[in-house]
Amino acid sequence: MKRILLVGPFPKPITGLSLANEVLYKGLKQNNKVDYIDMSYYRFEEVLGDFNFYKMIFFLKLNFKIFKIYNYDSIYITIGQSFFGVIKYSLFFITAKIFGKKVVIHLHGNQLGEMYKSQSFLKKTIIKKILSIPNYGIVLSNSLKHNLSLFLKPQNIFVVENFVEDELYLNSKEINTKNYESLRIVYIGNLMTEKGVFYLLDALVSLKKKGVVFKAKFAGNIDNHILDSIMSYFKGNDNLEYLGVVRNKEKKEMLKWANTFVFPSYLVEGFPLSILEAIVTRNSVITTKHPALNDLFTEENLSFIQGKSTKDIVNSLTKQSLSFDKKRILNNFNIIKGFTEEEFVSKIEKIINL
């Protein structure tokens, strides 16, 4: 039985990364001795990779748990993508190297390479020293390998696609009763400025003025700094509903109710989990372009929009309101139907056991 220590964020707060770590922990436990160190900062924040005194104290305390490394064969770390997001794991990397442990890093994004190139010589040297320690690296798609090829040999970088929670897959009855008569829009993810949420909300205001029939539901964390601004769109607007953070049955019901998922993020994204969730629940997808999406999908699969463009969102939703291409929705499902929890865990377990 392999002894594996997972180091990274776990719920709460719920993000695609913390959810993936939770699924991996539960899956690996079936055949291995597994423990984890939760690196989640307790407060959801609008600015990613931001550094402050409270965070420094919080993560310094977590470093007292590095003694756990001694008891495990392999250390799996889901690294961050900012300088601080890498540095906060440095003691784990160094300790693992001292004790001769196998280290696997998993990157859930596409910002690491650009972040590294933008740093000073000193910071680049520090990052390079730390991220050259792991034995293997994992990314979510072929087009994301360049982020780790700066630090690891190409033959030691693997692709493991993201997954969809098993409970989100629809049965035949649920598929047959899906409603495509009028626009039912859904946004699931953290409601952040750089995720394009204000452009989407402005687009929905314009859509209502144009007389397009629609309902829209939103779910996810909101930073207190933008809470009032976002909630002002929902006050007195019967077309919009904010459901807070949803999981499990609530999330499935929301995606099952919807027929159109909008992902207007202008962040540099990896392979958004929320898009996969929307596809398996048979939704049409309107999204900004991201390199990892191009590895699987074309213009024939998804409706691509420009980032920071309310007009583009309005035009795409207006076009969507006229008709739904159910053949395209089914084709998208067939492309990713193998992206299950079991497959995700199995692929990572094989890499850990190399």
Side-chain angles (χ1 to χ4, degrees):
M1 180 178 282
K2 197 85 175 178
R3 297 174 298 173
I4 304 166
L5 179 64
L6 310 182
V7 184
F10 285 74
K12 298 179 178 178
I14 297 171
T15 64
L17 176 55
S18 65
L19 180 62
N21 281 336
E22 183 180 66
V23 167
L24 181 63
Y25 171 69
K26 290 177 180 175
L28 289 176
K29 270 177 64 177
Q30 295 179 24
N31 301 314
N32 306 279
K33 180 186 176 185
V34 187
D35 196 1
Y36 68 89
I37 296 174
D38 182 6
M39 298 292 283
S40 275
Y41 188 56
Y42 56 90
R43 184 183 300 163
F44 174 73
E45 293 183 331
E46 160 92 340
V47 182
L48 297 175
D50 192 26
F51 177 77
N52 57 50
F53 175 76
Y54 300 104
K55 276 188 178 178
M56 183 181 73
I57 298 299
F58 177 81
F59 288 113
L60 280 176
K61 286 181 180 176
L62 288 177
N63 277 296
F64 286 113
K65 297 184 178 180
I66 57 173
F67 70 89
K68 281 189 172 185
I69 289 174
Y70 180 77
N71 297 317
Y72 291 86
D73 307 309
S74 300
I75 316 300
Y76 169 93
I77 301 176
T78 45
I79 54 172
Q81 301 185 81
S82 65
F83 178 72
F84 178 63
V86 173
I87 292 301
K88 68 184 180 186
Y89 293 101
S90 56
L91 278 180
F92 292 95
F93 283 110
I94 294 167
T95 306
K97 185 177 182 181
I98 289 171
F99 287 114
K101 307 296 183 180
K102 182 188 291 181
V103 179
V104 177
I105 57 172
H106 196 160
L107 178 67
H108 284 251
N110 189 22
Q111 298 181 45
L112 183 67
E114 288 304 313
M115 180 279 291
Y116 172 76
K117 291 173 184 173
S118 68
Q119 301 299 313
S120 65
F121 175 77
L122 178 61
K123 285 185 175 180
K124 277 183 179 175
T125 303
I126 294 170
I127 295 171
K128 186 104 178 179
K129 286 281 184 188
I130 294 170
L131 293 186
S132 297
I133 290 175
N135 302 79
Y136 303 110
I138 303 172
V139 294
L140 297 174
S141 183
N142 270 320
S143 63
L144 306 181
K145 281 184 172 180
H146 67 92
N147 289 281
L148 293 185
S149 61
L150 296 162
F151 318 105
L152 302 175
K153 294 177 181 176
Q155 63 268 31
N156 293 335
I157 303 172
F158 299 89
V159 172
V160 176
E161 297 87 359
N162 230 329
F163 67 95
V164 179
E165 293 173 275
D166 295 343
E167 61 190 346
L168 289 182
Y169 284 80
L170 304 183
N171 59 38
S172 299
K173 183 180 177 183
E174 290 169 328
I175 294 167
N176 292 331
T177 55
K178 186 96 177 174
N179 188 320
Y180 295 99
E181 291 177 3
S182 63
L183 266 182
R184 294 184 172 192
I185 302 160
V186 70
Y187 175 96
I188 297 181
N190 296 321
L191 278 71
M192 299 164 59
T193 302
E194 290 182 312
K195 290 282 187 183
V197 66
F198 286 107
Y199 291 96
L200 174 57
L201 288 165
D202 285 337
L204 296 180
V205 171
S206 298
L207 211 63
K208 188 177 181 181
K209 288 178 181 174
K210 287 180 67 174
V212 175
V213 177
F214 76 93
K215 292 283 185 183
K217 294 184 179 182
F218 289 70
N221 289 299
I222 307 176
D223 187 319
N224 283 334
H225 291 95
I226 59 169
L227 179 63
D228 290 343
S229 299
I230 286 183
M231 294 315 297
S232 66
Y233 286 88
F234 292 86
K235 289 174 184 171
N237 192 336
D238 295 337
N239 291 54
L240 305 184
E241 188 177 1
Y242 173 62
L243 303 179
V245 177
V246 296
R247 285 200 71 180
N248 307 324
K249 189 177 178 183
E250 282 180 313
K251 181 159 71 173
K252 182 173 181 177
E253 287 301 316
M254 189 175 173
L255 287 163
K256 199 169 70 175
W257 167 86
N259 51 39
T260 303
F261 177 81
V262 184
F263 187 78
S265 175
Y266 52 91
L267 274 172
V268 180
E269 299 277 355
F271 203 118
L273 180 60
S274 55
I275 289 182
L276 299 181
E277 293 173 342
I279 289 173
V280 299
T281 46
R282 310 304 174 100
N283 288 289
S284 182
V285 174
I286 296 171
T287 177
T288 42
K289 284 188 176 180
H290 303 281
L293 291 178
N294 292 332
D295 289 342
L296 290 178
F297 302 109
T298 67
E299 302 275 354
E300 293 181 0
N301 301 110
L302 308 178
S303 299
F304 289 113
I305 52 174
Q306 295 296 318
K308 301 182 180 180
S309 174
T310 297
K311 183 181 176 183
D312 234 25
I313 299 173
V314 171
N315 289 341
S316 191
L317 284 172
T318 303
K319 184 179 177 183
Q320 183 69 87
S321 70
L322 301 176
S323 68
F324 284 87
D325 187 341
K326 293 182 181 177
K327 185 179 177 183
R328 179 163 86 157
I329 292 171
L330 177 60
N331 286 342
N332 290 344
F333 171 78
N334 286 331
I335 290 171
I336 67 158
K337 63 183 178 183
F339 291 4
T340 61
E341 291 181 19
E342 183 180 2
E343 190 69 10
F344 179 74
V345 174
S346 172
K347 285 182 175 178
I348 294 176
E349 188 173 15
K350 285 177 183 172
I351 296 167
I352 291 173
N353 287 331
L354 285 173

